[in-house]
Amino acid sequence: MIRGGINRFSGCIVRSIGTNTKQQPQQTYRGIISVAKTTTTSSFQRRSPFSFLSENSLIALRAKKSSGGKSGKDEEVFTPWKQVDISSIKTQGDKTVEYVSRELGNIRFGRVGPELLERINVETPSGNLLLPHMAMITVKDSLTLNITLYDASLLKNVEKALTTSGLGLNPQILDTSIRVSLPKPTQDLRQKLIKQVNTISEDAKVSIRRHRKDGMDILKRYKLTKDDEKTLEKNIQKITDDYTKTITKVIESKLKEINSN
């Protein structure tokens, strides 16, 4: 009876051990699968914080960050002030100064020089010619000039040009030359010439102011920052002031010449 109990007990132990031996690997195997599945699932379930956005949306977001959050349409492109060409103001200013010098050179009081006749335009069969290109001009005295033509057949043409020049000249034909005499200085003539000089001065200054306006209009063609616009305006004003001073100096010199004779 005791042996039977022992045998039954031993059989239970054996069966228990056998069962454990067979099930343990299965439990271990299932545990591995379970861990692997858990690990795999967790690895696929981990998402980016931007997973709700499409790929294009992410690209657009990165581009926006790199550009500081501004789109191309919102960006303003300004022209650097050094790229704005205002040289035309100086070109026109130079022409105005040349005009003043030329006109004042035609005004003489108390003395005369060949430059008085430099701008005389003579009509010829070959076209209009400036007097210095067709004759030699010399000074006889403070009020008289002699004109010797290279072609004596044009004496009448030159005489007509001198008479209609508006300079108050009194030409006389002498054989193959022409004598030009200026009127003697008088107070009336002095006042007349002063008035003429002042008219030239005013015309020139009006012209300079017009050039300034043209310069300001140039600025409107460009998109400039406030600082660059002010810089260019100052440059234009300086150019205007410089030409005005130059013209004023030339005018004052001519008026001094007229009043001193």
Side-chain angles (χ1 to χ4, degrees):
M1 187 176 180
I2 294 173
R3 286 182 181 176
I6 291 173
N7 290 334
R8 285 193 299 269
F9 179 75
S10 299
C12 291
I13 293 175
V14 170
R15 284 194 301 270
S16 176
I17 292 173
T19 303
N20 290 339
T21 302
K22 291 179 181 179
Q23 292 178 352
Q24 186 64 32
Q26 186 177 5
Q27 290 176 356
T28 303
Y29 177 74
R30 288 176 180 174
I32 292 173
I33 293 298
S34 177
V35 171
K37 286 184 178 180
T38 303
T39 305
T40 304
T41 303
S42 63
S43 65
F44 281 103
Q45 288 178 347
R46 187 174 297 167
R47 292 179 175 272
S48 167
F50 297 107
S51 60
F52 63 92
L53 295 174
S54 65
E55 184 179 354
N56 292 335
S57 300
L58 287 174
I59 294 173
L61 180 61
R62 294 190 189 103
K64 186 175 182 181
K65 287 183 177 180
S66 63
S67 62
K70 294 182 178 180
S71 63
K73 294 183 179 179
D74 295 333
E75 293 179 356
E76 291 184 309
V77 180
F78 296 96
T79 302
W81 69 269
K82 290 184 178 180
Q83 293 184 9
V84 179
D85 185 9
I86 56 175
S87 60
S88 59
I89 305 174
K90 291 186 177 182
T91 302
Q92 296 301 321
D94 289 340
K95 291 181 180 180
T96 300
V97 172
E98 290 175 4
Y99 160 79
V100 172
S101 299
R102 182 173 64 250
E103 293 300 313
L104 294 183
N106 293 333
I107 298 176
R108 295 287 175 175
F109 187 79
R111 65 184 182 86
V112 69
E115 62 272 12
L116 176 65
L117 306 180
E118 285 182 352
R119 307 303 300 179
I120 298 297
N121 203 4
V122 182
E123 292 183 7
T124 71
S126 301
N128 291 349
L129 292 174
L130 292 176
L131 183 57
H133 294 168
M134 53 188 302
M136 180 174 60
I137 306 171
T138 57
V139 178
K140 181 179 180 181
D141 56 48
S142 60
L143 295 176
T144 308
L145 293 173
N146 280 335
I147 302 174
T148 303
L149 273 69
Y150 304 134
D151 184 355
S153 65
L154 299 175
L155 284 172
K156 289 292 184 180
N157 303 67
V158 173
E159 180 186 24
K160 179 181 178 181
L162 293 170
T163 303
T164 59
S165 64
L167 299 178
L169 304 177
N170 183 23
Q172 293 178 329
I173 297 178
L174 303 172
D175 295 331
T176 58
S177 64
I178 298 177
R179 178 180 296 172
V180 178
S181 299
L182 289 178
K184 293 182 179 180
T186 63
Q187 188 61 26
D188 289 341
L189 178 59
R190 177 182 281 112
Q191 293 302 320
K192 180 180 178 180
L193 294 179
I194 289 175
K195 183 177 180 181
Q196 188 176 350
V197 170
N198 288 333
T199 298
I200 294 173
S201 174
E202 184 58 30
D203 290 344
K205 290 178 180 179
V206 169
S207 179
I208 293 297
R209 289 195 293 270
R210 184 171 62 252
H211 301 333
R212 179 186 180 279
K213 182 181 181 302
D214 292 341
M216 292 301 185
D217 289 340
I218 291 175
L219 303 188
K220 297 178 182 179
R221 305 174 191 170
Y222 299 89
K223 190 171 187 60
L224 302 165
T225 63
K226 290 294 183 182
D227 290 341
D228 284 354
E229 185 175 359
K230 288 180 180 180
T231 298
L232 287 168
E233 288 176 353
K234 288 181 180 179
N235 290 347
I236 292 173
Q237 187 60 51
K238 185 179 184 304
I239 293 172
T240 302
D241 293 341
D242 289 344
Y243 278 109
T244 300
K245 289 177 182 178
T246 299
I247 291 172
T248 299
K249 185 176 180 179
V250 173
I251 293 295
E252 289 177 350
S253 177
K254 175 56 68 174
L255 291 175
K256 182 178 180 181
E257 174 189 318
I258 294 174
N259 289 320
S260 61
N261 291 309

Coordinates of all heavy atoms in Angstrom, one line a residue, residues 38-109:
T38 N 5.2 43.3 -29.4 CA 5.0 44.6 -28.6 C 6.0 45.6 -29.1 O 5.7 46.7 -29.4 CB 5.1 44.4 -27.1 OG1 4.2 43.4 -26.7 CG2 4.9 45.7 -26.4
T39 N 7.3 45.1 -29.2 CA 8.4 46.0 -29.6 C 8.1 46.5 -31.0 O 8.2 47.7 -31.3 CB 9.7 45.3 -29.6 OG1 9.9 44.8 -28.3 CG2 10.8 46.3 -29.9
T40 N 7.7 45.6 -31.9 CA 7.5 46.0 -33.3 C 6.3 46.9 -33.4 O 6.4 47.9 -34.1 CB 7.2 44.7 -34.2 OG1 8.3 43.8 -34.0 CG2 7.0 45.1 -35.6
T41 N 5.3 46.6 -32.7 CA 4.1 47.5 -32.8 C 4.4 48.9 -32.3 O 4.1 49.9 -32.9 CB 3.0 46.9 -32.0 OG1 2.7 45.6 -32.5 CG2 1.7 47.8 -32.0
S42 N 5.2 48.9 -31.2 CA 5.5 50.2 -30.6 C 6.4 51.0 -31.5 O 6.3 52.3 -31.6 CB 6.2 50.1 -29.2 OG 7.4 49.4 -29.4
S43 N 7.3 50.3 -32.2 CA 8.2 51.1 -33.1 C 7.4 51.7 -34.3 O 7.8 52.7 -34.8 CB 9.3 50.1 -33.7 OG 8.7 49.1 -34.4
F44 N 6.4 51.0 -34.8 CA 5.6 51.5 -35.9 C 4.6 52.6 -35.5 O 4.2 53.4 -36.2 CB 4.9 50.4 -36.6 CG 5.8 49.6 -37.6 CD1 6.3 48.4 -37.2 CD2 6.1 50.2 -38.8 CE1 7.1 47.7 -38.1 CE2 6.9 49.5 -39.7 CZ 7.4 48.3 -39.3
Q45 N 4.2 52.5 -34.2 CA 3.2 53.4 -33.7 C 3.8 54.8 -33.3 O 3.1 55.7 -33.1 CB 2.5 52.8 -32.5 CG 1.5 51.7 -32.9 CD 0.9 51.1 -31.7 OE1 1.3 51.4 -30.5 NE2 -0.1 50.3 -31.9
R46 N 5.1 54.9 -33.2 CA 5.8 56.2 -32.8 C 5.7 57.1 -34.0 O 6.2 56.8 -35.1 CB 7.2 56.0 -32.4 CG 7.9 57.2 -31.9 CD 9.3 56.9 -31.4 NE 9.1 55.9 -30.3 CZ 10.2 55.2 -29.8 NH1 11.4 55.4 -30.3 NH2 10.0 54.4 -28.7
R47 N 5.1 58.3 -33.9 CA 4.9 59.2 -35.0 C 5.6 60.6 -34.8 O 5.8 61.0 -33.7 CB 3.4 59.5 -35.2 CG 2.6 58.3 -35.6 CD 1.2 58.6 -35.8 NE 0.4 57.5 -36.3 CZ 0.3 57.2 -37.6 NH1 0.8 58.1 -38.5 NH2 -0.4 56.2 -38.0
S48 N 5.9 61.3 -36.0 CA 6.5 62.6 -36.0 C 5.4 63.6 -35.5 O 4.2 63.4 -35.8 CB 6.9 63.0 -37.4 OG 7.2 64.3 -37.4
P49 N 5.8 64.7 -34.8 CA 4.9 65.7 -34.4 C 4.2 66.4 -35.6 O 3.2 67.1 -35.5 CB 5.7 66.7 -33.6 CG 7.1 66.4 -34.0 CD 7.2 65.0 -34.3
F50 N 4.8 66.2 -36.8 CA 4.3 66.9 -38.0 C 3.6 65.8 -38.9 O 3.4 66.0 -40.1 CB 5.4 67.6 -38.9 CG 6.0 68.7 -38.1 CD1 7.3 68.6 -37.7 CD2 5.3 69.9 -37.9 CE1 7.9 69.6 -37.0 CE2 5.9 70.9 -37.2 CZ 7.2 70.8 -36.8
S51 N 3.2 64.7 -38.3 CA 2.6 63.6 -39.1 C 1.3 64.0 -39.7 O 0.8 63.4 -40.7 CB 2.5 62.3 -38.3 OG 1.6 62.6 -37.1
F52 N 0.7 65.0 -39.1 CA -0.6 65.4 -39.6 C -0.5 66.2 -40.9 O -1.5 66.5 -41.6 CB -1.4 66.2 -38.6 CG -0.7 67.5 -38.2 CD1 -1.0 68.7 -38.9 CD2 0.2 67.5 -37.2 CE1 -0.4 69.9 -38.6 CE2 0.9 68.7 -36.9 CZ 0.6 69.9 -37.6
L53 N 0.7 66.6 -41.3 CA 1.0 67.4 -42.5 C 1.4 66.5 -43.6 O 2.1 65.5 -43.4 CB 2.0 68.5 -42.2 CG 1.7 69.6 -41.2 CD1 2.9 70.4 -41.0 CD2 0.5 70.4 -41.7
S54 N 1.1 67.0 -44.8 CA 1.6 66.2 -46.0 C 3.0 66.6 -46.2 O 3.6 67.5 -45.6 CB 0.8 66.6 -47.2 OG 0.9 67.9 -47.5
E55 N 3.7 65.9 -47.1 CA 5.1 66.2 -47.4 C 5.2 67.6 -48.0 O 6.2 68.3 -47.7 CB 5.6 65.1 -48.4 CG 7.1 65.3 -48.8 CD 7.6 64.2 -49.7 OE1 6.8 63.3 -50.0 OE2 8.7 64.3 -50.1
N56 N 4.3 68.0 -48.9 CA 4.4 69.3 -49.5 C 4.2 70.4 -48.4 O 4.8 71.4 -48.5 CB 3.3 69.5 -50.5 CG 3.6 68.6 -51.7 OD1 4.7 68.2 -52.0 ND2 2.5 68.2 -52.5
S57 N 3.4 70.1 -47.4 CA 3.1 71.1 -46.4 C 4.4 71.3 -45.5 O 4.8 72.4 -45.1 CB 2.0 70.6 -45.4 OG 0.8 70.5 -46.2
L58 N 5.1 70.2 -45.3 CA 6.4 70.3 -44.5 C 7.4 71.1 -45.3 O 8.1 71.9 -44.8 CB 6.9 68.8 -44.3 CG 6.2 68.0 -43.2 CD1 6.7 66.6 -43.1 CD2 6.3 68.7 -41.8
I59 N 7.5 70.8 -46.6 CA 8.4 71.6 -47.4 C 8.1 73.1 -47.4 O 9.0 73.9 -47.3 CB 8.4 71.1 -48.9 CG1 9.0 69.6 -48.9 CG2 9.2 72.0 -49.8 CD1 8.8 69.0 -50.3
A60 N 6.8 73.4 -47.5 CA 6.4 74.8 -47.5 C 6.7 75.4 -46.1 O 7.1 76.6 -46.1 CB 4.9 74.9 -47.8
L61 N 6.6 74.7 -45.1 CA 6.8 75.2 -43.7 C 8.3 75.5 -43.6 O 8.7 76.5 -43.0 CB 6.4 74.2 -42.7 CG 6.6 74.5 -41.2 CD1 5.8 75.8 -40.9 CD2 6.2 73.4 -40.3
R62 N 9.2 74.5 -44.1 CA 10.6 74.8 -44.0 C 11.0 76.0 -44.8 O 11.8 76.8 -44.4 CB 11.4 73.5 -44.5 CG 11.2 72.3 -43.6 CD 12.1 71.2 -44.0 NE 11.8 69.9 -43.3 CZ 11.2 68.9 -43.9 NH1 10.7 69.0 -45.2 NH2 10.9 67.8 -43.2
A63 N 10.5 76.1 -46.0 CA 10.8 77.3 -46.8 C 10.4 78.6 -46.1 O 11.0 79.6 -46.2 CB 10.1 77.1 -48.2
K64 N 9.2 78.6 -45.5 CA 8.7 79.8 -44.8 C 9.7 80.2 -43.7 O 10.0 81.3 -43.5 CB 7.3 79.5 -44.3 CG 6.7 80.7 -43.7 CD 5.2 80.5 -43.3 CE 4.6 81.7 -42.7 NZ 3.2 81.4 -42.3
K65 N 10.1 79.1 -42.9 CA 11.1 79.4 -41.8 C 12.4 80.0 -42.3 O 12.9 80.9 -41.8 CB 11.3 78.1 -41.0 CG 10.1 77.7 -40.2 CD 10.5 76.5 -39.3 CE 9.3 76.1 -38.4 NZ 9.7 74.9 -37.6
S66 N 12.9 79.4 -43.4 CA 14.2 79.9 -44.0 C 14.1 81.3 -44.5 O 15.1 82.0 -44.6 CB 14.6 78.9 -45.1 OG 13.7 78.9 -46.2
S67 N 12.9 81.7 -45.0 CA 12.8 83.1 -45.5 C 12.3 84.0 -44.5 O 11.9 85.2 -44.8 CB 11.8 83.0 -46.7 OG 10.5 82.6 -46.2
G68 N 12.3 83.6 -43.3 CA 11.9 84.6 -42.2 C 10.4 84.7 -42.1 O 9.9 85.7 -41.5
G69 N 9.6 83.8 -42.7 CA 8.2 83.9 -42.6 C 7.5 84.9 -43.6 O 6.4 85.2 -43.6
K70 N 8.3 85.4 -44.6 CA 7.8 86.3 -45.6 C 7.7 85.7 -47.0 O 8.7 85.0 -47.4 CB 8.6 87.6 -45.7 CG 8.6 88.4 -44.4 CD 9.4 89.7 -44.6 CE 9.4 90.6 -43.4 NZ 10.2 91.8 -43.5
S71 N 6.7 85.9 -47.7 CA 6.6 85.3 -49.0 C 7.3 86.3 -50.0 O 7.5 87.4 -49.7 CB 5.1 85.1 -49.4 OG 4.5 86.4 -49.4
G72 N 7.6 85.8 -51.2 CA 8.3 86.6 -52.2 C 7.5 87.9 -52.6 O 8.0 88.9 -52.9
K73 N 6.1 87.8 -52.6 CA 5.3 88.9 -52.9 C 5.4 90.0 -51.9 O 5.2 91.2 -52.3 CB 3.9 88.4 -53.1 CG 3.7 87.5 -54.3 CD 2.2 87.1 -54.4 CE 2.0 86.2 -55.6 NZ 0.6 85.8 -55.8
D74 N 5.6 89.7 -50.7 CA 5.7 90.7 -49.6 C 7.0 91.4 -49.6 O 7.1 92.5 -49.0 CB 5.4 90.1 -48.3 CG 3.9 89.5 -48.2 OD1 3.1 90.1 -49.0 OD2 3.7 88.6 -47.5
E75 N 8.1 90.8 -50.2 CA 9.4 91.4 -50.1 C 9.5 92.6 -51.0 O 9.1 92.5 -52.2 CB 10.5 90.4 -50.4 CG 10.6 89.3 -49.4 CD 11.6 88.2 -49.8 OE1 12.2 88.4 -50.9 OE2 11.9 87.3 -49.0
E76 N 10.1 93.7 -50.6 CA 10.2 94.9 -51.4 C 11.7 95.0 -51.8 O 12.6 94.9 -51.0 CB 9.9 96.2 -50.6 CG 8.4 96.3 -50.3 CD 8.0 97.6 -49.7 OE1 8.6 97.9 -48.6 OE2 7.1 98.3 -50.1
V77 N 11.9 95.3 -53.1 CA 13.3 95.4 -53.7 C 13.5 96.8 -53.9 O 12.8 97.5 -54.7 CB 13.4 94.6 -54.9 CG1 14.8 94.7 -55.5 CG2 13.1 93.1 -54.7
F78 N 14.5 97.4 -53.3 CA 14.9 98.8 -53.4 C 16.1 99.0 -54.3 O 17.0 98.1 -54.3 CB 15.1 99.5 -52.1 CG 13.9 99.5 -51.2 CD1 13.7 98.6 -50.3 CD2 12.9 100.5 -51.4 CE1 12.5 98.6 -49.5 CE2 11.8 100.6 -50.6 CZ 11.6 99.6 -49.6
T79 N 16.2 100.1 -55.1 CA 17.3 100.4 -55.9 C 18.4 101.1 -55.1 O 18.0 102.2 -54.5 CB 16.9 101.2 -57.1 OG1 16.0 100.5 -57.9 CG2 18.2 101.5 -58.0
P80 N 19.6 100.7 -55.0 CA 20.6 101.5 -54.3 C 20.8 102.8 -54.9 O 20.8 103.0 -56.1 CB 21.9 100.6 -54.4 CG 21.4 99.2 -54.7 CD 20.1 99.4 -55.5
W81 N 21.0 103.9 -54.1 CA 21.0 105.2 -54.6 C 22.2 105.4 -55.6 O 22.1 106.3 -56.5 CB 21.1 106.2 -53.5 CG 22.4 106.2 -52.7 CD1 22.7 105.5 -51.6 CD2 23.6 107.0 -53.0 NE1 24.0 105.8 -51.2 CE2 24.5 106.7 -52.0 CE3 23.9 108.0 -54.0 CZ2 25.8 107.3 -52.0 CZ3 25.1 108.6 -53.9 CH2 26.1 108.3 -53.0
K82 N 23.3 104.7 -55.5 CA 24.4 104.8 -56.4 C 24.1 104.4 -57.8 O 24.8 104.7 -58.7 CB 25.6 104.1 -55.8 CG 26.2 104.7 -54.6 CD 27.5 104.0 -54.1 CE 28.1 104.7 -52.9 NZ 29.3 104.0 -52.4
Q83 N 23.0 103.6 -57.9 CA 22.7 103.1 -59.3 C 21.7 104.0 -60.0 O 21.3 103.8 -61.1 CB 22.0 101.7 -59.1 CG 23.0 100.6 -58.7 CD 22.4 99.2 -58.6 OE1 21.3 99.0 -59.1 NE2 23.1 98.3 -58.0
V84 N 21.3 105.1 -59.3 CA 20.4 106.1 -60.0 C 21.3 107.1 -60.7 O 22.1 107.8 -60.1 CB 19.5 106.8 -58.9 CG1 18.6 107.8 -59.6 CG2 18.7 105.7 -58.1
D85 N 21.1 107.2 -62.0 CA 21.9 108.1 -62.8 C 21.3 109.5 -62.9 O 20.2 109.7 -63.5 CB 22.0 107.5 -64.2 CG 22.9 108.3 -65.1 OD1 23.6 109.2 -64.6 OD2 23.0 108.0 -66.3
I86 N 21.9 110.5 -62.3 CA 21.5 111.8 -62.4 C 22.5 112.7 -63.1 O 22.5 114.0 -63.0 CB 21.2 112.4 -61.0 CG1 22.5 112.3 -60.1 CG2 20.0 111.7 -60.3 CD1 22.3 113.0 -58.7
S87 N 23.3 112.1 -63.9 CA 24.4 112.8 -64.6 C 23.8 113.8 -65.7 O 24.5 114.8 -66.1 CB 25.3 111.9 -65.3 OG 24.7 111.0 -66.2
S88 N 22.6 113.5 -66.1 CA 21.9 114.4 -67.1 C 21.8 115.8 -66.6 O 21.8 116.8 -67.4 CB 20.6 113.9 -67.5 OG 19.7 113.7 -66.4
I89 N 21.7 116.0 -65.3 CA 21.5 117.3 -64.7 C 22.8 118.1 -64.9 O 22.8 119.3 -65.3 CB 21.3 117.2 -63.2 CG1 20.0 116.3 -62.9 CG2 21.1 118.6 -62.6 CD1 19.8 116.1 -61.4
K90 N 24.0 117.4 -64.8 CA 25.2 118.1 -65.0 C 25.4 118.4 -66.5 O 25.9 119.5 -66.8 CB 26.4 117.3 -64.5 CG 26.4 117.1 -63.0 CD 27.7 116.3 -62.6 CE 27.8 116.3 -61.0 NZ 29.0 115.6 -60.6
T91 N 25.0 117.5 -67.3 CA 25.1 117.8 -68.8 C 24.3 119.0 -69.2 O 24.8 119.9 -69.9 CB 24.6 116.5 -69.5 OG1 25.4 115.4 -69.2 CG2 24.8 116.8 -71.0
Q92 N 23.1 119.1 -68.7 CA 22.3 120.2 -69.0 C 22.8 121.5 -68.4 O 22.7 122.6 -68.9 CB 20.8 120.0 -68.6 CG 20.1 118.8 -69.3 CD 20.1 119.0 -70.8 OE1 19.9 120.2 -71.3 NE2 20.3 118.0 -71.6
G93 N 23.3 121.3 -67.2 CA 23.9 122.5 -66.5 C 25.1 123.1 -67.2 O 25.3 124.3 -67.3
D94 N 25.9 122.2 -67.8 CA 27.1 122.6 -68.5 C 26.7 123.4 -69.8 O 27.3 124.4 -70.1 CB 27.9 121.4 -69.0 CG 28.7 120.8 -67.8 OD1 28.8 121.5 -66.7 OD2 29.1 119.6 -67.9
K95 N 25.6 122.9 -70.4 CA 25.1 123.6 -71.6 C 24.6 125.0 -71.3 O 24.7 126.0 -72.0 CB 24.0 122.8 -72.3 CG 24.5 121.5 -72.9 CD 23.4 120.7 -73.6 CE 23.9 119.4 -74.2 NZ 22.8 118.7 -74.9
T96 N 23.9 125.1 -70.1 CA 23.4 126.4 -69.7 C 24.5 127.4 -69.4 O 24.5 128.6 -69.8 CB 22.5 126.2 -68.4 OG1 21.5 125.3 -68.7 CG2 22.0 127.6 -68.0
V97 N 25.6 126.9 -68.8 CA 26.7 127.8 -68.5 C 27.4 128.2 -69.8 O 27.8 129.4 -70.0 CB 27.8 127.1 -67.6 CG1 29.1 127.9 -67.5 CG2 27.2 126.8 -66.2
E98 N 27.5 127.3 -70.8 CA 28.0 127.7 -72.1 C 27.2 128.7 -72.8 O 27.7 129.6 -73.4 CB 28.1 126.4 -73.0 CG 29.2 125.4 -72.5 CD 29.1 124.1 -73.4 OE1 28.3 124.1 -74.3 OE2 29.9 123.2 -73.0
Y99 N 25.9 128.6 -72.7 CA 25.0 129.6 -73.3 C 25.2 130.9 -72.6 O 25.3 132.0 -73.4 CB 23.5 129.1 -73.0 CG 22.5 130.3 -73.1 CD1 22.1 130.7 -74.4 CD2 22.0 130.9 -72.0 CE1 21.2 131.8 -74.4 CE2 21.1 131.9 -72.0 CZ 20.7 132.3 -73.3 OH 19.8 133.4 -73.4
V100 N 25.3 131.0 -71.3 CA 25.6 132.3 -70.6 C 26.9 132.9 -71.1 O 26.9 134.1 -71.4 CB 25.6 132.1 -69.1 CG1 26.0 133.4 -68.4 CG2 24.2 131.6 -68.6
S101 N 27.9 132.1 -71.1 CA 29.2 132.6 -71.5 C 29.2 133.1 -73.0 O 29.8 134.2 -73.3 CB 30.3 131.5 -71.4 OG 30.4 131.1 -70.1
R102 N 28.5 132.4 -73.8 CA 28.4 132.8 -75.2 C 27.7 134.1 -75.4 O 28.1 135.0 -76.1 CB 27.8 131.7 -76.1 CG 27.7 132.0 -77.5 CD 27.2 130.8 -78.3 NE 25.8 130.5 -77.9 CZ 25.5 129.4 -77.3 NH1 26.4 128.5 -76.9 NH2 24.2 129.1 -77.0
E103 N 26.5 134.2 -74.7 CA 25.7 135.4 -74.8 C 26.4 136.7 -74.2 O 26.4 137.8 -74.8 CB 24.4 135.2 -74.1 CG 23.5 134.2 -74.8 CD 23.2 134.6 -76.3 OE1 22.8 135.8 -76.5 OE2 23.3 133.8 -77.2
L104 N 27.1 136.4 -73.1 CA 27.8 137.6 -72.5 C 29.0 138.0 -73.3 O 29.4 139.2 -73.2 CB 28.2 137.2 -71.0 CG 27.1 136.9 -70.0 CD1 27.7 136.6 -68.7 CD2 26.2 138.1 -69.9
G105 N 29.6 137.0 -74.0 CA 30.7 137.4 -74.9 C 30.3 138.3 -76.0 O 31.2 139.0 -76.5
N106 N 29.0 138.3 -76.3 CA 28.6 139.2 -77.4 C 28.3 140.7 -76.9 O 27.9 141.5 -77.7 CB 27.3 138.7 -78.0 CG 27.6 137.4 -78.8 OD1 28.7 137.2 -79.3 ND2 26.6 136.5 -78.9
I107 N 28.4 140.8 -75.6 CA 28.1 142.1 -75.0 C 29.4 142.8 -74.6 O 30.2 142.3 -73.8 CB 27.2 142.0 -73.7 CG1 25.9 141.3 -74.1 CG2 27.0 143.3 -73.0 CD1 25.0 141.0 -72.9
R108 N 29.6 143.9 -75.3 CA 30.8 144.7 -75.1 C 30.5 146.1 -74.8 O 29.6 146.7 -75.4 CB 31.7 144.6 -76.3 CG 32.3 143.2 -76.6 CD 33.3 142.8 -75.6 NE 33.8 141.5 -75.9 CZ 34.8 140.9 -75.2 NH1 35.4 141.6 -74.3 NH2 35.1 139.6 -75.4
F109 N 31.3 146.7 -73.8 CA 31.0 148.1 -73.5 C 32.4 148.8 -73.2 O 33.1 148.4 -72.2 CB 30.1 148.2 -72.3 CG 29.7 149.7 -72.0 CD1 28.7 150.3 -72.7 CD2 30.4 150.4 -71.0 CE1 28.4 151.6 -72.4 CE2 30.0 151.7 -70.7 CZ 29.0 152.3 -71.4

